[in-house]
Amino acid sequence: MKEKPGDVLEYVKPKRILIPILIGLGVSTFLLIRNFKPEAFDGIEWTWRSTFWIAMALLMVVIRDLAYMYRIRVLTENELSWRRAFDVIMLWEFASAIAPAALGGGFAFAILILNKERIKMGRSISVIMFSSFLDGMFFALIAPLVYFLEGKDRIFSNINTESMQQISFGEGLLYTFWTIYFVVLAYKLFVAYALFVNARAVKWALIKIFSIRFLRRWRYKVMLTGSDMVTAAKELRSQGIGYWVKSFFWTCVSWSARFIIINCIILAFSSEWPDQFLLYARQVIMGILMIGSPTPGGSGFAEWFFENFLGEFIRNPTLTVSLAFLWRLISYYPYLFVGSIVLPKWVKRVFSNEPFKN
């Protein structure tokens, strides 16, 4: 079915943008009221150090987006200009911000965006599917690395020990982390087999499985997914080693910049130098846990995890919720607003072009 401008603009309805904002602000407000102590803010001073590290946090946001833009250009073999790459990434981030990660985080919308940028459907499917695969592989490699380097006791430790809401991250959260990790790993290995080994066999197996009576209602969607994998596999197998190395390198740069944003924010308001690698490791674990978030863009969950997973790195516990809000203000909310501005202009541009035949 052919997409219409009105169908695409459904993504920019105010309620779709307001829901994650209200959830995030609601959780932040609740946590702030519960922990608020006016006297705790008396000793806070904005210094050159604060200015420097906040500027570094903003720079990490830019690096994160530039790395994604560079990756999308590599994956499309420079068919996208930098301006068009910017639109694609901003709209993809926007779609991810208003869709739960557990439901794919705007995966299908990203394929539509790329196709409307005059990238053939087969290439669009392969690029977005491979991008998602690269993101998953980053976590598949980095999560066990930081876990075994730092150890269970240092990552899943008691935190916020001076605050009212002390939480012990014991076996329950540990098992949740490994459960989500292995589910994601299994899915990415399944996608890898389909993309690089035998896509048609995977499609056939999926159709057979979803032909079972109680699964039959999803058979058509699974058949489409299988067809997408076959199409993507054909596109990807023709690529050289440089294609894989460059795309994975920029994936690592983008995700690392995303995590270092928090390192910079905490350094801006800390008189000491926290354990930077442990802080990075905790964020990797948070990233895995938030994949299971049912809320748009992890709203609510992100703020809660920040307070209870990173609180020990902030000497003034009362500041924890405020810094969590600052983190989301820098790294999440802008995509909601930028996306809502870019989307109507993008729709006008791509739908005003001559019809594009796939």
Side-chain angles (χ1 to χ4, degrees), residues 49 62 85 97 110 159 165 167 183 189 216 259 270 272 297 338 355:
R49 177 190 177 99
V62 174
I159 60 175
Q165 67 277 11
I167 293 180
V183 168
L189 290 175
R216 201 171 295 164
F259 292 147
S270 175
E272 299 179 355
V338 172

Side-chain angles (χ1 to χ4, degrees), residues 16 19-24 27 95-105 289-305 328 332:
R16 295 185 68 105
I19 288 174
I21 293 176
L22 291 176
I23 293 173
V27 172
S96 299
I98 62 177
L103 298 180
L289 291 168
M290 284 178 60
I291 290 174
S293 169
T295 60
S299 295
F301 281 79
E303 291 81 1
W304 186 86
F305 272 121
R328 296 291 273 178
Y332 173 71

Side-chain angles (χ1 to χ4, degrees), residues 31 34-35 37 155-169 266 282 303-321 324:
L31 295 174
R34 189 172 66 173
N35 299 327
K37 295 178 182 179
I155 292 179
F156 294 94
S157 62
N158 288 347
I159 60 175
N160 278 347
T161 53
E162 299 179 0
S163 69
M164 296 287 290
Q165 67 277 11
Q166 178 177 346
I167 293 180
S168 176
F169 284 89
I266 290 177
R282 286 268 180 90
E303 291 81 1
W304 186 86
F305 272 121
F306 185 100
E307 184 202 23
N308 294 296
F309 217 54
L310 305 179
E312 72 171 272
F313 298 100
I314 304 169
R315 289 187 59 83
N316 184 347
T318 310
L319 277 181
T320 304
V321 179

Side-chain angles (χ1 to χ4, degrees), residues 38-335:
E39 62 274 12
F41 293 87
D42 293 342
I44 298 175
E45 294 183 6
W46 187 276
T47 64
W48 68 266
R49 177 190 177 99
S50 304
T51 301
F52 173 79
W53 285 114
I54 291 299
M56 290 299 295
L58 294 172
L59 178 61
M60 289 302 108
V61 175
V62 174
I63 291 174
R64 160 191 165 177
D65 291 335
L66 284 175
Y68 268 150
M69 289 166 62
Y70 199 98
R71 184 180 73 172
I72 203 73
R73 295 191 77 231
V74 170
L75 294 178
T76 59
E77 298 181 280
N78 293 327
E79 286 188 43
L80 290 177
S81 65
W82 282 102
R83 168 56 199 278
R84 291 165 65 200
F86 172 82
D87 285 352
V88 169
I89 296 303
M90 289 301 105
L91 291 175
W92 192 353
E93 290 288 344
F94 171 68
S96 299
I98 62 177
L103 298 180
F107 179 85
F109 186 54
I111 294 175
L112 169 64
I113 295 168
L114 209 54
N115 182 237
K116 289 301 177 184
E117 287 290 352
R118 307 183 77 79
I119 304 296
K120 290 183 178 180
M121 181 57 78
R123 171 68 63 83
S124 297
I125 292 169
S126 67
V127 166
I128 300 304
M129 188 171 286
F130 188 51
S131 296
S132 177
F133 172 76
L134 288 170
D135 292 335
M137 283 297 98
F138 171 80
F139 278 104
L141 294 173
I142 198 68
L145 177 65
V146 299
Y147 178 86
F148 290 112
L149 284 176
E150 286 293 341
K152 179 183 72 174
D153 293 336
R154 279 175 61 78
I155 292 179
F156 294 94
S157 62
N158 288 347
I159 60 175
N160 278 347
T161 53
E162 299 179 0
S163 69
M164 296 287 290
Q165 67 277 11
Q166 178 177 346
I167 293 180
S168 176
F169 284 89
E171 299 300 317
L173 194 58
L174 174 66
Y175 291 147
T176 301
F177 160 70
W178 283 116
T179 299
I180 295 175
Y181 172 81
F182 281 115
V183 168
V184 172
L185 179 61
Y187 175 70
K188 296 305 177 183
L189 290 175
F190 168 77
V191 172
Y193 179 81
L195 292 178
F196 308 120
V197 182
N198 195 337
R200 293 190 180 279
V202 171
K203 178 182 177 181
W204 179 85
L206 286 173
I207 292 173
K208 287 295 182 182
I209 292 171
F210 281 84
S211 294
I212 300 172
R213 179 175 295 179
F214 68 92
L215 296 175
R216 201 171 295 164
R217 59 184 295 186
W218 294 289
R219 185 171 180 270
Y220 179 69
K221 289 185 178 179
V222 166
M223 186 167 60
L224 292 179
T225 299
S227 298
D228 289 347
M229 286 185 176
V230 172
T231 303
K234 290 179 180 177
E235 288 283 337
L236 290 171
R237 286 171 187 164
S238 62
Q239 303 300 332
I241 187 67
Y243 185 86
W244 315 108
V245 173
K246 288 180 183 177
S247 55
F248 187 66
F249 171 77
W250 290 110
T251 298
C252 294
V253 170
S254 183
W255 276 106
S256 293
R258 184 190 299 251
F259 292 147
I260 293 172
I261 292 170
I262 290 182
N263 293 60
C264 294
I265 289 174
I266 290 177
L267 284 170
F269 297 94
S270 175
S271 58
E272 299 179 355
W273 189 270
D275 187 331
Q276 297 299 299
F277 186 76
L278 178 59
L279 180 54
Y280 182 94
R282 286 268 180 90
Q283 292 181 71
V284 171
I285 305 303
M286 277 175 54
I288 295 287
L289 291 168
M290 284 178 60
I291 290 174
S293 169
T295 60
S299 295
F301 281 79
E303 291 81 1
W304 186 86
F305 272 121
F306 185 100
E307 184 202 23
N308 294 296
F309 217 54
L310 305 179
E312 72 171 272
F313 298 100
I314 304 169
R315 289 187 59 83
N316 184 347
T318 310
L319 277 181
T320 304
V321 179
S322 299
L323 296 188
F325 176 72
L326 178 60
W327 164 51
R328 296 291 273 178
L329 191 64
I330 290 175
S331 65
Y332 173 71
Y333 294 122
Y335 295 105

